[in-house]
Amino acid sequence: MKQVTLISPSKINLFLEVLGRRDDGYHEICSIAVLTELSDTITLERRTSGITIWAKNPKVPSGPDNLCYRAADLLLRHSGTHGGVSIRIEKQIPIAGGMGGGSSNAAATLWGLNLLYDLGWPREELIGLGSVLGSDVPLFFCREAAFVRGRGERVEELAALTPRWLVIANPGIEILTASVYRRLRLPLTSDKTGVTMRVLFESGQEEAALSHCFNRLEDVVLEAYPAVANLKQRLLLLGASPVLVSGSGPTVFGVMREAEMAKRVASSLVESGITAVACRTLDRNPLFLLADH
Ligand code: ATP
């Protein structure tokens, strides 16, 4: 195989609780992550040596700061592979939007290189390497959806919910994840709600689960960033429910009853100058479907 093209999906958090601060400085979280159709495309091509990154979007880092670069470097070194790769990234997922774009791209790079060089690494080992690159990388190896714990790297498989229409909107501001965690007043809480949410999803009580969705990080984000709070309010008024910030934001998503409604709401946001798109949640991880090789 000389070249491989992979679909690198985004995620939304239907539930995110912060359980406490750990001694290593990270926070202990409990979350339910679902994949969405809003995806990047990653094309890997064998090279005799070196790692090169190509992306049209100038905001995507083109050197060792890119998570794809770091993923390729790590896997090539750990597997003792003599060879290199050129990586082409076509971005659709908002950058630094709380949708895990960079982490998803890293997972796609690990998975793709494993195929390209016929390394035969099992998924579990790639997940282990992925967790070194970033807390959100392992969840992008889930088959359907993910129940997430630890600093985000401990992933249990979760059955996907029936595909739902979403409106995903980005107010175009930047939020540093670390600053959100820093400002968070930690509640006295346990992972009980997360476990209940998981049971609701797994037993097919999706409507009940959706009505209990929440994101603890909203306590900080909605107060500190009025643009995000206004966008959430607007989506609620337009009929989306629930409406949540994804991860630490600033992306906001709203669940819509029907495709037509989702498309209409997304168009009306776009007309008023907001980046928005209508898309569905996924019930299978497209990373494992090869587009081309
Ligand atoms: P996080 O919550 O970890 O900050 P995110 O999902 O909000 O992640 P990403 O799109 O992953 O946002 O971007 C976070 C940072 O990672 C950006 O500042 C960007 O410069 C850097 N980055 C590295 N590699 C990539 C990549 N392949 N795609 C997008 N951003 C990348």
Side-chain angles (χ1 to χ4, degrees), residues 61 65-67 91 94-102 105 177:
D65 284 345
N66 196 298
L67 278 168
K91 272 273 155 201
I95 297 172
M99 300 192 75
N105 295 172
T177 305

Side-chain angles (χ1 to χ4, degrees), residues 12-16 31-32 97-99 166-169 197 201 209-219 221-222 228 231-233 235-236 240-255:
I12 50 170
N13 301 88
L14 287 181
F15 168 81
L16 198 162
S31 180
I32 291 177
M99 300 192 75
L166 303 171
V167 171
I168 293 175
M197 289 290 288
F201 275 116
L210 284 174
S211 68
H212 285 85
C213 286
F214 85 94
N215 177 355
R216 176 68 59 195
L217 301 178
E218 283 193 351
D219 294 357
V221 176
L222 297 182
V228 181
L231 191 52
K232 171 164 174 155
Q233 198 52 34
L235 275 165
L236 283 167
S241 177
V243 179
L244 288 177
V245 171
S246 186
S248 56
T251 304
V252 176
F253 67 89
V255 179

Side-chain angles (χ1 to χ4, degrees), residues 45-208:
E45 207 179 318
R46 265 192 201 229
R47 289 280 184 263
T48 46
S49 65
I51 300 167
T52 54
I53 304 274
W54 187 91
K56 201 166 163 192
N57 187 331
K59 287 190 177 159
V60 177
S62 57
D65 284 345
N66 196 298
L67 278 168
C68 294
Y69 185 106
R70 292 175 47 206
D73 184 48
L74 198 65
L75 185 55
L76 291 173
R77 276 192 294 115
H78 267 69
S79 59
T81 304
H82 298 289
V85 62
S86 85
I87 305 170
R88 184 189 172 94
I89 307 170
E90 286 159 76
K91 272 273 155 201
Q92 299 273 349
I93 305 172
I95 297 172
M99 300 192 75
S103 302
S104 172
N105 295 172
T109 304
L110 293 175
W111 185 252
L113 266 183
N114 193 37
L115 296 172
L116 201 61
Y117 277 100
D118 205 11
L119 301 175
W121 280 41
R123 211 172 58 111
E124 290 65 29
E125 293 218 29
L126 295 174
I127 292 173
L129 266 196
S131 71
V132 175
L133 295 165
S135 304
D136 279 349
V137 178
L139 81 85
F140 287 100
F141 284 100
C142 73
R143 292 198 171 83
E144 296 186 15
F147 185 69
V148 170
R149 292 200 232 214
R151 58 180 165 85
E153 86 292 4
R154 273 171 50 207
V155 174
E156 293 164 39
E157 292 285 338
L158 195 65
L161 69 157
T162 319
R164 304 272 168 164
W165 277 93
L166 303 171
V167 171
I168 293 175
N170 190 295
I173 57 165
E174 280 187 25
I175 299 180
L176 289 174
T177 305
S179 81
V180 173
Y181 276 100
R182 224 176 8 250
R183 290 155 100 156
L184 192 64
R185 284 180 298 276
L186 286 176
L188 276 177
T189 188
S190 71
D191 66 353
K192 225 172 90 191
T193 321
V195 173
T196 308
M197 289 290 288
R198 179 186 185 158
V199 170
L200 287 176
F201 275 116
E202 287 194 319
S203 60
Q205 299 178 69
E206 290 186 3
E207 293 304 324

Side-chain angles (χ1 to χ4, degrees), residues 3-25:
Q3 180 179 311
V4 60
T5 299
L6 304 120
I7 299 168
S8 173
S10 57
K11 59 87 185 166
I12 50 170
N13 301 88
L14 287 181
F15 168 81
L16 198 162
E17 180 61 287
V18 182
L19 302 172
R21 203 178 137 84
R22 309 173 358 158
D23 293 342
D24 61 6

